[in-house]
Amino acid sequence: MPETIEIQLKKGVLGLCVLALLARADSYAYEIASRLSDAIDMGEGTIYPLMRRMQTDGLVETYLVESSSGPSRKYYRLSQAGRDALAAQSAEWTHFTRAVDAIVANDSPVAPAPGEAA
């Protein structure tokens, strides 16, 4: 059964959302997952593999913070590569959403199909 468009969209923008959250403040994975769950109903289990991948790709850096109520928490912060990726992905997202909005709203002319007169 094909996935719904909502699930596909969430998967496509999850990395961008994490980069944007970390641009505002350093955070730990559970906190990021909770914010994404509240905002876009994203499952918490999807964030941990993504955070590992982003760390491997050099987009985030980690550090530990002692906690008085339990084990130390691993905090994530953007690296310079992460800030660069956020800028690039934000620009792509803006361009994409404007194009889709224009098509959905029928505000822009649609390019003629091959063989059709313009």
Side-chain angles (χ1 to χ4, degrees), residues 12 16 84-100:
L16 173 60
D84 294 344
L86 174 60
Q89 291 180 26
S90 294
E92 289 176 24
W93 175 253
T94 299
H95 175 77
F96 177 76
T97 57
R98 284 183 182 159
V100 172

Side-chain angles (χ1 to χ4, degrees), residues 17-102:
C17 290
V18 170
L19 292 173
L21 289 174
L22 290 175
R24 295 178 193 154
D26 297 357
S27 188
Y28 51 97
Y30 181 76
E31 183 178 53
I32 295 168
S34 295
R35 294 180 76 182
L36 292 173
S37 177
D38 291 344
I40 59 173
D41 196 28
M42 199 71 202
E44 292 177 6
T46 58
I47 197 69
Y48 293 98
L50 175 63
M51 298 310 297
R52 281 192 293 273
R53 190 171 58 246
M54 293 176 92
Q55 186 175 2
T56 299
D57 292 345
L59 300 176
V60 299
E61 301 166 338
T62 63
Y63 58 96
L64 293 176
V65 173
E66 299 270 338
S67 172
S68 60
S69 61
S72 299
R73 286 187 171 146
K74 182 192 277 187
Y75 273 75
Y76 295 87
R77 66 178 164 231
L78 288 184
S79 65
Q80 183 58 50
R83 285 188 284 280
D84 294 344
L86 174 60
Q89 291 180 26
S90 294
E92 289 176 24
W93 175 253
T94 299
H95 175 77
F96 177 76
T97 57
R98 284 183 182 159
V100 172
D101 285 346

